Amino acid sequence: MRLPGVERLELRPLPDTEVARLVRALPGAPLPEATVRRIVERAEGNAFYAEELVAATDAGADGMPSGLADVLLIRFEQLSDTAQQVLRTAAVAGRRVGHDLLRDAVALPEEELEAALREALGRQLLVPGDDGTYAFRHALAREAVYADLLPGERTRLHGAFARLLEAGERRPQTAAERAHHYRESRDPARALAASLEAADHAQLLGAPAEELRHLEGALDLWPVVEASARPAGADRVALTLRASAAAAHAGELHRAVSLTRSALDGLGQDADLELAARVRYTLAGNLLNVDSLRAAHTHSSEALALIPQEPPSATWVWAAATHVMTARQVGDTATAVRVARRALRVAGELGLADARADLLVSLAGLEGEGRRSEEGAHACGRPASSPGGRATRRWRCGRCSTWRSAASSRVIFRVPVLGGGGPRPRAPLGAALLAVREGDALPPAAGALHPGRLDEGPAGAAEEAGAVPPW
């Protein structure tokens, strides 16, 4: 019953910047920035929660302070047994759960479930969503309820959710959830398979950070899964190599180097020569990204020596293309030009458009002085004496140089993948690079060759003299 003279005020959450300022202002030893960010994230704008989390930092960044857990569980413990059962089940699902999935997992009649949900909503422990879902009002409330579960109860419910999601229609979209539930239900074989499926889905969506997270989860599970239970065709070295590519795409360059070194360490004495070469030229490319030029040159030399030039192969072409880059960086221009020209011929014979584009760009950089001469102007596709020739010539060569920087990182269009000896294709970029070298018109997509917009861009947008992509 509310008194007539009392007005209820709904306090909005504090902005993250204010919570961070509060955390730093509290007495005690200064906290690392990573800890401050984690506290801000978990507090979700609640000053009291932030203070309690700071007070419990000795328990670990993700620990639940006992005093805070007691406060959060007060309203939970006032619920009926059925409502408590529903909230425990919802806590295992995560911060948010769909009505149908919760109904199937809790195995209650619809009327009892609705009554329990209404009770939880009334206590402001859950809030309804517009898409038939329910979410915990605060993430810490969900953490407290989850921590209150018995170990066997937690394992059983995780297994139930995994099986329900496995039987659903949207399997690719639920792969990450299934991987989590299988892992928590002590089913590493299914967790491994779901982690790889989640990585494939993240790659399809262009989410390299998520792909990396799932691949690293799969690598953690690999040793505890029997060889007979692992997905067919999966290989730890190739999986690690793919994780290094995802790390490079996500901008975690040193992590990419670490993962590729791990792949190199995992090669046995009887390792397939093509795989051994791929590991070494990928490591060389990743080392270039962190300016470890001599080490990159050493590994690219090893890669090139492992694969014979005859018969022609995509692996040799990419090893050669990488060696061209490393040789140029250590000042061995003569070797770089010789290998580039030879690899360019092989790439043309094999129809490797992206490799050919990469090599053409390398040669454009190596022969840059020649392209700025009268003869080079004609190679660029415009006579030096023509109107605008000088500006266009500078623009074309400048764009080659810019794209060369992107190509050398292997993040744009050259990354190794499972089951293949070559890179992941990026057709618009490859076509644009070929056009620039050969003096052809740029493709329509060339105006948007930067992350996230490979398939966009108005026709002719890149033709503006002096424009460079915002990499």
Side-chain angles (χ1 to χ4, degrees), residues 128-353:
D130 296 332
D131 52 352
T133 62
Y134 300 95
F136 280 87
R137 186 177 182 85
H138 199 284
L140 288 179
R142 181 255 165 191
E143 285 187 37
V145 174
Y146 183 80
D148 198 48
L149 289 165
L150 297 173
E153 185 180 18
R154 191 178 301 158
T155 300
R156 174 179 59 80
L157 288 171
H158 276 295
F161 276 112
R163 289 187 294 273
L164 288 169
L165 291 169
E166 187 82 39
E169 295 179 357
R170 301 176 62 194
R171 293 190 73 255
Q173 293 88 336
T174 64
E177 291 179 79
R178 283 186 281 114
H180 166 68
H181 289 304
Y182 277 131
R183 185 180 290 108
E184 295 301 323
S185 64
R186 310 293 188 267
D187 192 341
R190 287 190 173 91
L192 174 60
S195 293
L196 293 177
E197 189 180 343
D200 290 342
H201 186 59
Q203 183 187 94
L204 185 66
L205 295 177
E210 287 298 303
E211 181 187 1
L212 174 62
R213 181 169 65 86
H214 296 309
L215 290 172
E216 290 188 319
L219 289 169
D220 288 341
L221 290 165
W222 192 270
V224 299
V225 177
E226 294 290 335
S228 59
R230 293 170 187 159
D235 174 82
R236 184 184 178 93
V237 172
L239 192 64
T240 308
L241 199 58
R242 177 179 169 184
S244 77
H249 273 266
E252 298 188 30
L253 304 182
H254 289 281
R255 182 60 182 151
V257 170
S258 176
L259 284 163
T260 320
R261 288 192 187 280
S262 178
L264 183 61
D265 293 341
L267 290 171
Q269 295 294 328
D270 57 345
D272 175 75
L273 287 181
E274 289 213 358
L275 178 60
R278 283 168 52 205
V279 170
R280 285 173 170 83
Y281 74 61
T282 302
L283 177 56
N286 288 333
L287 286 168
L288 279 180
N289 291 339
V290 296
D291 296 326
S292 186
L293 307 182
R294 289 293 174 185
H297 185 255
T298 298
H299 288 294
S300 71
S301 301
E302 293 173 356
L304 197 60
L306 282 172
I307 300 295
Q309 185 181 349
E310 298 294 338
S313 68
T315 302
W316 182 86
V317 170
W318 283 112
T322 306
H323 191 60
V324 169
M325 291 191 292
T326 63
R328 180 189 180 188
Q329 292 299 322
V330 299
D332 191 356
T333 304
T335 297
V337 172
R338 186 182 70 255
V339 174
R341 287 174 176 166
R342 186 188 311 157
L344 188 60
R345 288 195 300 271
V346 178
E349 293 170 7
L350 297 178
L352 302 175

Side-chain angles (χ1 to χ4, degrees), residues 110-135:
E110 190 72 32
E111 294 78 6
E112 290 186 41
L113 174 62
E114 289 177 357
L117 287 170
R118 189 172 291 110
E119 190 177 349
L121 292 168
R123 292 284 182 179
Q124 296 193 9
L125 288 164
L126 292 181
V127 292
D130 296 332
D131 52 352
T133 62
Y134 300 95

Side-chain angles (χ1 to χ4, degrees), residues 374 381-393:
E374 187 75 16
R382 184 185 297 272
S385 59
S386 66
R390 180 177 176 82
T392 304
R393 200 161 58 245

